[in-house]
Amino acid sequence: MGTRSAEAGDGGRTEAVAPRRGDVRARILDAARVLFYTEGIRAVSADKVIAAAGVSKVTFYRHFPTKDELVVAYLDAIATWERDLLEGLRDEHAGDPAGSVAALAEALGAVAGEPRFRGCAFVNAGAEYADPEHPARAAVARHRAWYTAFLAGLAHEAGADDPAAAAAELMMLRDGAMVCGDVGDADVVGPRLAAGFAAVLAAHRAAADPA
């Protein structure tokens, strides 16, 4: 997976943003992605994004009238990337939900070991925006709801007695793994997360069929 993360949504790539012709909006988002992820959203001003993207203020504000709109676009772009990734893993392991979950653990473990990994972009954004009514916090909530529903679907396919509860447990393990990858021992994330995921699914299958 290189530095393309199921958590960071490729946010961890910190190389310089090269100006490119064509989609100016994408160039602004590229600059914001790197700066927001590596330095923190609130710490990065619109002027800093403008300078990194190599656009004028008029052009910037034509595409993003407010910084909040840019933040939401940044989070939504990562969400789209992550959804495509997770759905791709599921499709690669069609009919094998446990295999999909194991592949996800492996992918998260790989990215957690990247030197520029700074945790989950959504957890980071949620920590910066405490107001649940803020558009950024709403974007975080939307994606986390989708992610949990995706895991619940896999848990259901795996025969879990309570897919929603299993998904909540899987999500908690995933969140902890992302924190560990950022501030702990990243080398253990993949194998331990895979073991944790497998244990959750096994426990819920056993509860569904106690005999």
Side-chain angles (χ1 to χ4, degrees), residues 52-129:
V55 299
S56 68
K57 286 189 177 183
V58 171
T59 297
F60 175 88
Y61 286 111
R62 183 184 303 127
H63 290 279
F64 300 101
T66 67
K67 181 183 173 183
D68 284 349
E69 291 185 48
L70 176 61
V71 172
V72 171
Y74 154 74
L75 292 170
D76 285 346
I78 296 173
T80 297
W81 191 91
E82 287 190 9
R83 292 176 189 187
D84 289 345
L85 175 64
L86 268 64
E87 289 171 351
L89 291 174
R90 181 189 60 199
D91 292 345
E92 288 174 14
H93 298 272
D96 179 15
S100 296
V101 172
L104 175 58
E106 181 181 0
L108 297 180
V111 74
E114 292 289 339
R116 295 186 178 97
F117 181 68
R118 294 296 178 268
C120 171
F122 293 92
V123 171
N124 295 347
E128 292 200 60
Y129 292 92

Side-chain angles (χ1 to χ4, degrees), residues 24 26 42 161 177:
V24 175
R42 289 191 179 277
D161 64 318

Side-chain angles (χ1 to χ4, degrees), residues 14 30 32 36-37 46 59 72-73 97 135 154 167 172 184 187 189 195 198 202-203 209:
T14 57
D30 281 348
F36 287 166
Y37 185 73
T59 297
V72 171
L154 292 179
M172 186 177 295
D187 291 340
V189 168
D209 186 16

Side-chain angles (χ1 to χ4, degrees), residues 131-146:
D131 181 3
E133 301 302 318
H134 192 281
R137 189 68 180 235
V140 171
R142 283 195 303 273
H143 184 55
R144 286 181 64 83
W146 179 91

Side-chain angles (χ1 to χ4, degrees), residues 1-5 8-15 81 111 114-116:
M1 289 180 58
T3 54
R4 307 202 71 164
S5 167
D10 202 22
R13 295 173 59 190
T14 57
E15 65 269 20
W81 191 91
V111 74
E114 292 289 339
R116 295 186 178 97

Side-chain angles (χ1 to χ4, degrees), residues 105-106 108-110 112-113 173 176-196:
E106 181 181 0
L108 297 180
L173 286 171
M178 294 300 93
V179 173
C180 181
D182 184 21
V183 300
D185 184 358
D187 291 340
V188 305
V189 168
R192 290 185 180 174
L193 186 58

